[in-house]
Amino acid sequence: MGRPSVKAQRSSEILDAFETCVARYGVEGATLERIAAEAGLARALIRHHVGNRDDLLKALTRRFLAQSERHQQDLLDYLPEGDRVLSLIDLLFDHSQSDQNFVLVAEALIAAAGERPELAAQLADWVHSFIALIAAELRREYDAAAADAIDAVAAGIAGIYFNVDSLTTLGDMGGLRQASKQAALRLVRSIELDHESR
Amino acid sequence: MGRPSVKAQRSSEILDAFETCVARYGVEGATLERIAAEAGLARALIRHHVGNRDDLLKALTRRFLAQSERHQQDLLDYLPEGDRVLSLIDLLFDHSQSDQNFVLVAEALIAAAGERPELAAQLADWVHSFIALIAAELRREYDAAAADAIDAVAAGIAGIYFNVDSLTTLGDMGGLRQASKQAALRLVRSIELDHESR
DNA sequence: AAGTTAATTGTCAAGTATGATAATTTATAG
DNA sequence: CTATAAATTATCATACTTGACAATTAACTT
């Protein structure tokens, strides 16, 4: 009965466009006009399907966190039995352009969180969970390692990963991505060496 | 002859306010209205003393790069004779809140560089020079180390440093800062260990 | 074909942002 | 005190952004 709803489809398209704009212009720069242009729809439809600016940001945050959770699960499922940590680092540092927006959106949200306490809390949890994922894999492989060492190395790998992706806006940065990956691998090796020199 | 000019003083105040707004709202969110309110002057004075939006951003970028250069020089002058690398890491990771805006502004500029090729080029140079500074200290202390190792560790330390400061907008992140510092120290140690296991 | 539901389009009003220019005030020199 | 140069204030025009609502069109059911 009645015209079939495309709300789910449209909402998804709108959030795609919003995501693109956030990655490109930041949260403050992602105006409804730009989003509408990017999505190829009238601005009024954004309001109709998703709501006002605040609703948009909440919806994007929700989707971002949900996608991230799924993404993390996929990541874990994809890791082989052996050398899981090395595989993880390969995935983090050799990923394709398609996921590039992911970190850019994350950085934009983090920057915008300064004025939005609720968002800040959600993202703080998110960062912690990402670091925890890395830490869990490290623990699994180096179960005799000290907790401090695991925490430091996990934080370091996560930091290097976020940083190198956020610098993609600057264009080609020479061998920075490779150097960053090598740094991450060195952190991993530092755990092995802890182990030996005991 | 005539009223004494306060242009230099006002320009500096205006750029201070702009910097604060950029750190808080991002480049796109730092409107002339907000800057004027932050600086406590009429919006027209911004135009009078510095110019339009574009002039503002160029001026801020110029000042940022100049300050950064001085800051780096001060840093080097401050480092002691021995244990320079450890001192450097102390300075990077234990710095006071006063410099906090520094990295936030840098992150905001980097995010905005996606749409501004000229800015991107300047910041790419800036990042490289920062990494080069770390690399130079590493080389000075570990002159027998492989170039690859130096590059990787320098990139890693820089990445970890940028990342942890950009996360300050999320509030207290537990022991993340300490863990990050430990990760940086581990990277340094990894060079020493390379050396031994040769 | 009529009814119904939702998408889509059109339009309006209020608020904000920017750029430009004219008028005014203020601080100094002579 | 007067001339002068610069800061400051006032005002205007234009464009952008957002939110809200009415009108229309499209797709489906019975």
Side-chain angles (χ1 to χ4, degrees):
Chain A
M1 29 145 71
R3 182 173 180 169
S5 178
V6 293
K7 196 186 268 284
Q9 168 72 14
R10 283 284 173 286
S11 297
S12 160
E13 291 170 7
I14 289 168
L15 288 184
D16 286 345
F18 187 34
E19 201 170 279
T20 300
C21 290
V22 164
R24 199 178 294 159
Y25 309 107
V27 170
E28 304 282 332
T31 67
L32 298 185
E33 297 287 351
R34 281 173 169 169
I35 301 167
E38 176 70 28
L41 319 153
R43 182 173 61 79
L45 286 179
I46 296 177
R47 173 180 166 69
H48 178 68
H49 287 297
V50 182
N52 61 18
R53 253 192 93 63
D54 224 50
D55 298 327
L56 265 179
L57 188 57
K58 279 187 189 137
L60 180 65
T61 304
R62 203 178 7 257
R63 195 178 78 157
F64 173 82
L65 294 175
Q67 279 181 348
S68 176
E69 202 158 331
R70 242 176 301 126
H71 191 64
Q72 288 187 10
Q73 195 53 55
D74 290 350
L75 212 67
L76 292 181
D77 292 346
Y78 183 82
L79 292 181
E81 278 303 305
D83 280 342
R84 287 173 67 92
V85 170
L86 295 190
S87 299
L88 176 58
I89 289 179
D90 279 344
L91 286 175
L92 290 180
F93 289 90
D94 301 334
H95 66 72
S96 61
Q97 295 284 106
S98 64
D99 303 315
Q100 209 94 345
N101 268 8
F102 180 74
V103 173
L104 289 184
V105 170
E107 295 276 350
L109 292 177
I110 288 170
E115 303 296 303
R116 297 175 180 84
E118 195 179 341
L119 179 57
Q122 291 176 292
L123 291 175
D125 284 351
W126 175 74
V127 171
H128 280 134
S129 83
F130 183 72
I131 295 177
L133 178 149
I134 300 175
E137 288 300 326
L138 289 169
R139 243 189 314 273
R140 173 169 171 164
E141 203 148 318
Y142 307 104
D143 59 340
D148 281 2
I150 298 282
D151 290 346
V153 170
I157 293 173
I160 293 170
Y161 167 66
F162 284 135
N163 178 254
V164 77
D165 267 14
S166 78
L167 294 182
T168 53
T169 57
L170 301 186
D172 180 32
M173 290 291 288
L176 186 62
R177 183 167 287 273
Q178 274 316 300
S180 295
K181 183 178 176 181
Q182 290 307 313
L185 290 172
R186 282 182 161 266
L187 283 173
V188 173
R189 279 204 72 207
S190 79
I191 296 184
E192 300 175 6
L193 296 175
D194 275 356
H195 213 214
E196 288 173 13
S197 66
R198 207 194 289 198
Chain B
M1 22 131 87
R3 182 174 180 169
S5 177
V6 294
K7 196 186 266 286
Q9 168 72 14
R10 284 283 173 286
S11 296
S12 160
E13 291 170 8
I14 288 168
L15 288 184
D16 286 345
F18 187 36
E19 200 170 279
T20 301
C21 289
V22 164
R24 199 178 292 159
Y25 308 107
V27 170
E28 304 283 332
T31 67
L32 297 185
E33 297 288 350
R34 279 173 170 168
I35 300 167
E38 175 70 28
L41 359 118
R43 180 173 64 79
L45 286 180
I46 295 177
R47 173 179 166 70
H48 178 67
H49 288 297
V50 183
N52 64 17
R53 253 192 94 65
D54 224 50
D55 298 326
L56 266 178
L57 187 58
K58 278 185 189 137
L60 180 65
T61 304
R62 205 178 4 256
R63 195 177 78 156
F64 173 82
L65 293 175
Q67 278 181 349
S68 177
E69 203 158 329
R70 243 177 299 126
H71 191 63
Q72 287 186 10
Q73 196 51 56
D74 291 350
L75 211 69
L76 292 181
D77 293 345
Y78 183 82
L79 291 182
E81 277 303 306
D83 279 344
R84 287 172 68 92
V85 170
L86 295 190
S87 299
L88 176 59
I89 289 180
D90 279 344
L91 286 175
L92 290 180
F93 289 90
D94 300 335
H95 66 72
S96 61
Q97 294 285 106
S98 64
D99 304 315
Q100 209 93 347
N101 268 9
F102 181 73
V103 174
L104 289 184
V105 169
E107 295 276 348
L109 291 177
I110 288 170
E115 302 297 303
R116 297 175 180 83
E118 197 180 340
L119 180 57
Q122 290 176 292
L123 292 175
D125 284 350
W126 175 74
V127 171
H128 280 134
S129 83
F130 183 72
I131 295 176
L133 179 149
I134 301 174
E137 288 301 325
L138 289 169
R139 244 190 312 273
R140 173 170 171 163
E141 203 150 317
Y142 307 103
D143 59 339
D148 280 3
I150 298 283
D151 290 345
V153 170
I157 293 173
I160 293 170
Y161 167 66
F162 284 134
N163 178 254
V164 76
D165 267 14
S166 78
L167 294 182
T168 53
T169 58
L170 301 185
D172 180 32
M173 290 291 289
L176 185 63
R177 182 167 287 272
Q178 275 315 301
S180 295
K181 182 179 176 181
Q182 290 307 313
L185 291 171
R186 282 181 160 266
L187 283 173
V188 173
R189 280 205 71 209
S190 79
I191 296 185
E192 300 175 7
L193 297 175
D194 274 357
H195 214 216
E196 288 174 13
S197 66
R198 208 193 293 197

